[in-house]
Amino acid sequence: MGDAGADGSSPTTSVGASGEPGVEPVLSASLKEQFGIFSRFGDASSDGKQISLSNADKWMKQAHVIDGKKITTTDTSITFKKLFKTSKKVGFEDFKRYVEDLSKSKSMEGKEILDKLTNCGTPGLSQATKAAHAGVVSRLTDTSKYTGSSKERFDSAGKGRGMVGRKDVKDTSGYVAAFKEKQDGQSTSPTPK
């Protein structure tokens, strides 16, 4: 068997492809490795040895520890401030103590939370909110449903008419809008005698 790591994780011994025993690292990261990764996530000044409440919350959300029902960010904030009063960041051992205290206050097993934190994977942005209402955009941009002045801004194909659609162009020809027999340059009205 291999030696245990400094953080308590232990590598596994297996037989390699050549048939000789070899040491393979454990596939999932240890809690201390995850701590280092999440403490640096989004914080360029972090050295990975201390984690802020904000990054701890991000980690717990990704691990589905913070679910908005049983444990909320308010709960994590209260527990963090109760334990660390004025500290902005805490080290690994203090973080484990914080998770234990949080789990006790919510009647959960501390080991369960630590297991979720260990196995949640690396930080990612893949869980960003996706547009749930794609139909709304198509409905709002369908020019055939426009009325009033908005309708005048687009032609029958839905293409914008530019400045013509936005400005009222004054007709200085002398004809009224209802006159149907308008001819360019020639007047059809009777001349006075």
Side-chain angles (χ1 to χ4, degrees), residues 15 22 38 48 62 67 72 76 104 110 135 138 143-144 150 159 170:
V15 177
F38 275 93
Q62 183 166 328
D67 58 2
T72 64
T76 60
K104 285 178 189 171
S138 63
T143 58
S144 67
S150 298
K159 187 171 187 227
K170 187 173 181 182

Side-chain angles (χ1 to χ4, degrees), residues 28-31 34-35 37-38 56 58-65 113-124 126-127:
S28 66
S30 70
L31 182 65
Q34 288 286 78
F35 177 85
I37 292 168
F38 275 93
K58 290 175 191 174
W59 187 9
M60 289 185 188
K61 283 178 186 175
Q62 183 166 328
H64 301 292
V65 172
I113 293 175
L114 292 174
D115 286 343
K116 284 183 177 183
L117 293 173
T118 302
N119 298 319
C120 72
T122 58
S126 63
Q127 296 175 350

